[in-house]
Amino acid sequence: SYAQAPAMGDELGAVLAATRERLRGEARSLYQDGYRHGVKLAGQLTWSQLSWIVGIRGVVAAAKAAKQCQFDVMAGRLPDGARPVIEPDILADYVGRHADEGLDWAPSSVTLEGMDRALQDVWDHVHSPDGAVAPQPKQ
């Protein structure tokens, strides 16, 4: 019962509104940066790779799966000729330590959302009869 927000006076309301707008702007910038990176990544992919990333539900899941496949080949759990759908190093340029634990950086979850949305949009553009995609709801 003690965990209740205080009454919003003018001062507290103004601080909350300013903070909300500042953080929205930061999140928008991170998302748009991720979207730009996603479009660049799509430009490096084959159709099979793009379809796989979209189907596996995003760049982080793809990075982890590709890294696991690479590890399984090195550990002898998969045949020597087995290869990940995409080389983890390609994804590491975009998702940092999500693809390579040795890297000391990783994009924010909002940036990753932007990348995933861009890859989905590219995939949708290819599937659309006229190359157009219905606008997505704003975040």
Side-chain angles (χ1 to χ4, degrees):
S1 64
Y2 67 88
Q4 296 177 359
M8 284 289 162
D10 289 343
E11 183 181 343
L12 188 56
V15 170
L16 178 60
T19 301
R20 182 179 54 236
E21 288 308 308
R22 178 181 57 81
L23 294 175
R24 276 186 185 159
E26 184 180 328
R28 186 177 302 111
S29 178
L30 290 167
Y31 184 89
Q32 290 173 350
D33 188 46
Y35 196 96
R36 283 190 285 279
H37 285 299
V39 170
K40 289 177 185 176
L41 173 58
Q44 294 182 279
L45 301 174
T46 66
W47 176 249
S48 294
Q49 292 168 332
L50 176 62
S51 294
W52 180 70
I53 292 171
V54 168
I56 202 167
R57 302 283 186 234
V59 292
V60 170
K64 289 178 179 180
K67 191 67 171 178
Q68 184 64 48
C69 179
Q70 188 180 55
F71 179 76
D72 288 346
V73 169
M74 291 180 352
R77 288 191 286 270
L78 291 174
D80 284 337
R83 306 224 41 68
V85 173
I86 184 170
E87 292 300 320
D89 291 346
I90 292 171
L91 294 174
D93 289 343
Y94 294 91
V95 299
R97 79 172 151 260
H98 296 292
D100 184 342
E101 292 176 7
L103 296 174
D104 62 353
W105 67 275
S108 74
S109 61
V110 175
T111 301
L112 293 169
E113 286 177 41
M115 274 190 254
D116 289 340
R117 179 78 256 160
L119 294 170
Q120 181 69 54
D121 284 353
V122 170
W123 191 88
D124 289 345
H125 279 290
V126 173
H127 274 271
S128 173
D130 61 359
V133 174
Q136 297 300 313
K138 292 183 180 182
Q139 297 288 331

